[in-house]
Amino acid sequence: MSRKLGAVLQGLVLGGLLTWAQINAIAAATQAAIFHYQGF
Amino acid sequence: MYAGAYNALAFRPTDDAGDERRPQCREHPSIWRECKGETLVTVNESVRRFWAGALTPSLLAIVVMLCVNLGTIAVALALVDQDFVARHGRWLAANRFDYDILVTTGALDLARSEADRPLVVVLGNSTMRAMFSEQALREHLQQLAADAPSVHKFCTSRQAVLDAAAIIERIPDGSAGVVVLGLSPGMMTLGARELQNAGGSSRYGFRSDLYDEGMRGAGLKVAPRSRLYAVDNAAFLSVRVPRLAINLLLGRRIEFVESGYLGAQPDRVAFEAQGRLYGHLWQDYAARSDESLRALDAIRERLASRTRMRLLLVEPPVNPDFPGDYPVVAKVYAAHAQTMRDYAAAAQLPYVTPAAAISVGHADFIDGIHLGNPDLFKAHGRWLAERVVERLQAPTSAGDLQ
């Protein structure tokens, strides 16, 4: 049971990292940006 | 039951099969499971196995990883739509001046409303946002008009005419009222390519036919539309997710500031930086103002064909020392005023400026173009209310029809 819990934790962490990487890839591919005011 | 088992950890762990006849099984019936054949495990052993499971690749870990990833995508596709962003979009804000999110939520909220009340929608860039108080506009409209319109201040930093076109597409079909478009020279220098460099359609949480057409007209690629909000606005959502995570972790709900310039101290450094910026603005204005005017034509056509909204063009005030100190600024402003007068005359639209009615001085501005005086902020709100009422009460002109 402990080993399975550890495996589940690993899966959660990896799943989160994979999702985060996909989000960043979309932002990079679409040249998305939060606009920061530049002067006018 | 397992609490009892762990209390039995005073016993040495055993790797062999349990036996109900063993002394510890008789003395501690709560560990019946171990007694029936499973290995009694210490806390240390449990921890060791846990970390082994956590650090060793396994099929279970892969399955959980895929479930988390695909589940997140499924939830996003199912739940995140324009209603969701209209209600919860503030959690995506980066700071108190993140007007892109403020306008996104406001525009999406407007889009799902009924066209049963007159509207005043004000568009423009930061010079327009700094010009007038939304509250003063609203209150003065309530005094002047029996059926007071609802007011929506949709001014954003460095808004282009194409951005304004995207926003007015959110006005419900059949709506009546006034669209106020504050047009400063800087706004007219932003074409499709400049918008793409500043984030393109990822700035706002909605897609727009007019915006996409403007991009295609400039030879730029446009992401296809799928009718799924999360897919169509993947660029907007993807860049905002880190902000969402931070705001949720900190429990931070951003309270927006209407104008960051209000009450601030004049900034000579910013004044001079803008003067230098306008050094090449003249060429930009000459090169791109036509593109902005075409976008303005598209706005007029959209308003005439889908709504009963009337357009009112406004030129925001400028620091009188700005054209005074920088001849190129004077040149740009003079050209802009002429361009807009010609356009308004041809389109039979009113083009107004508060300069004749409200006197401004160098000390009222933070820099060359942003008003900072709180009293003038309110005065311009009242002035704008009077112009809106005039526009509402004027007879229908050819400019209102096309």
Side-chain angles (χ1 to χ4, degrees):
Chain A
M1 178 61 76
S2 301
R3 182 181 285 272
K4 288 181 182 174
L5 281 175
V8 167
L9 175 65
Q10 183 190 141
L12 290 172
V13 171
L14 290 177
L17 289 173
L18 175 61
T19 307
W20 193 263
Q22 289 169 340
I23 291 169
N24 285 331
I26 292 170
T30 55
Q31 296 178 295
I34 292 179
F35 180 78
H36 294 287
Y37 179 71
Q38 293 172 12
F40 67 88
Chain B
M1 198 174 289
Y2 269 93
Y6 285 119
N7 286 335
L9 295 179
F11 300 112
R12 294 178 65 79
T14 173
D15 287 328
D16 57 345
D19 188 333
E20 288 180 283
R21 293 168 296 177
R22 287 186 291 158
Q24 55 265 43
C25 293
R26 290 195 298 274
E27 291 172 20
H28 297 275
S30 59
I31 55 169
W32 65 272
R33 214 171 152 172
E34 286 71 23
C35 290
K36 288 195 182 294
E38 294 185 6
T39 305
L40 185 64
V41 178
T42 64
V43 171
N44 286 345
E45 180 64 16
S46 291
V47 169
R48 190 193 69 78
R49 292 184 183 186
F50 174 84
W51 284 114
L55 298 175
T56 307
S58 64
L59 181 61
L60 177 60
I62 292 171
V63 168
V64 171
M65 177 188 75
L66 291 175
C67 286
V68 167
N69 181 239
L70 296 174
T72 305
I73 293 170
V75 166
L77 289 174
L79 288 185
V80 179
D81 58 8
Q82 62 178 30
D83 285 345
F84 182 90
V85 175
R87 284 196 304 272
H88 306 298
R90 281 178 177 233
W91 290 98
L92 301 170
N95 52 55
R96 297 179 303 154
F97 312 108
D98 192 347
Y99 302 121
D100 289 355
I101 280 295
L102 179 61
V103 169
T104 290
T105 53
L108 289 177
D109 205 35
L110 178 63
R112 54 190 193 140
S113 66
E114 299 293 325
D116 56 359
R117 188 182 169 190
L119 305 173
V120 173
V121 176
V122 187
L123 304 163
N125 63 12
S126 55
T127 59
M128 194 65 178
R129 175 162 281 281
M131 180 184 108
F132 75 97
S133 159
E134 186 176 1
Q135 184 180 355
L137 170 61
R138 185 176 291 118
E139 288 173 354
H140 207 53
L141 277 172
Q142 285 170 351
Q143 291 171 7
L144 295 175
D147 189 12
S150 66
V151 174
H152 306 270
K153 186 173 180 180
F154 290 163
C155 307
T156 53
S157 304
R158 219 159 184 251
Q159 185 179 111
V161 182
L162 211 49
D163 290 320
I167 296 169
I168 63 109
E169 271 191 43
R170 308 278 81 80
I171 296 174
D173 289 352
S175 294
V178 178
V179 170
V180 180
L181 180 52
L183 282 166
S184 63
M187 202 167 168
M188 304 285 285
T189 66
L190 301 174
R193 290 189 184 277
E194 288 67 43
L195 291 183
Q196 191 177 57
N197 292 339
S201 63
S202 71
R203 279 194 63 180
Y204 305 107
F206 44 81
R207 296 292 298 275
S208 153
D209 294 334
L210 294 181
Y211 191 95
D212 288 351
E213 279 168 29
M215 286 292 173
R216 285 193 201 97
L220 298 170
K221 278 188 189 173
V222 170
R225 307 265 282 273
S226 69
R227 305 296 172 195
L228 276 175
Y229 177 86
V231 172
D232 290 350
N233 294 279
F236 167 80
L237 293 170
S238 64
V239 80
R240 292 280 176 182
V241 164
R243 298 295 174 179
L244 173 66
I246 291 169
N247 288 338
L248 286 176
L249 280 171
L250 299 178
R252 185 173 71 177
R253 194 166 188 275
I254 300 287
E255 293 299 327
F256 295 101
V257 172
E258 188 178 353
S259 168
Y261 299 98
L262 201 59
Q265 291 299 313
D267 187 342
R268 184 71 197 175
V269 171
F271 182 93
E272 291 173 357
Q274 285 169 351
R276 289 191 295 275
L277 188 72
Y278 271 62
H280 62 75
L281 208 69
W282 167 246
Q283 289 91 338
D284 294 342
Y285 191 91
R288 296 183 210 129
S289 57
D290 282 348
E291 187 180 342
S292 293
L293 290 177
R294 285 195 293 275
L296 189 49
D297 288 339
I299 289 176
R300 290 173 47 222
E301 189 178 341
R302 169 83 186 196
L303 290 177
S305 64
R306 302 282 286 263
T307 74
R308 293 174 293 139
M309 302 289 289
R310 297 181 172 192
L311 190 55
L312 172 64
L313 304 178
V314 173
E315 182 176 330
V318 63
N319 184 334
D321 282 7
F322 199 40
D325 288 1
Y326 297 95
V328 69
V329 172
K331 192 175 167 186
V332 169
Y333 270 83
H336 177 64
Q338 188 60 54
T339 300
M340 293 316 305
R341 278 196 294 268
D342 293 345
Y343 183 90
Q348 297 189 43
L349 290 172
Y351 179 64
V352 298
T353 171
I358 300 175
S359 176
V360 295
H362 175 75
D364 298 318
F365 286 80
I366 305 308
D367 48 33
I369 52 179
H370 297 104
L371 199 71
N373 183 317
D375 293 329
L376 290 181
F377 189 62
K378 291 177 194 164
H380 281 106
R382 292 191 292 270
W383 172 86
L384 191 57
E386 290 164 6
R387 303 291 81 73
V388 165
V389 171
E390 282 173 4
R391 188 73 177 99
L392 281 170
Q393 294 175 347
T396 305
S397 72
D400 296 322
L401 299 174
Q402 177 57 23

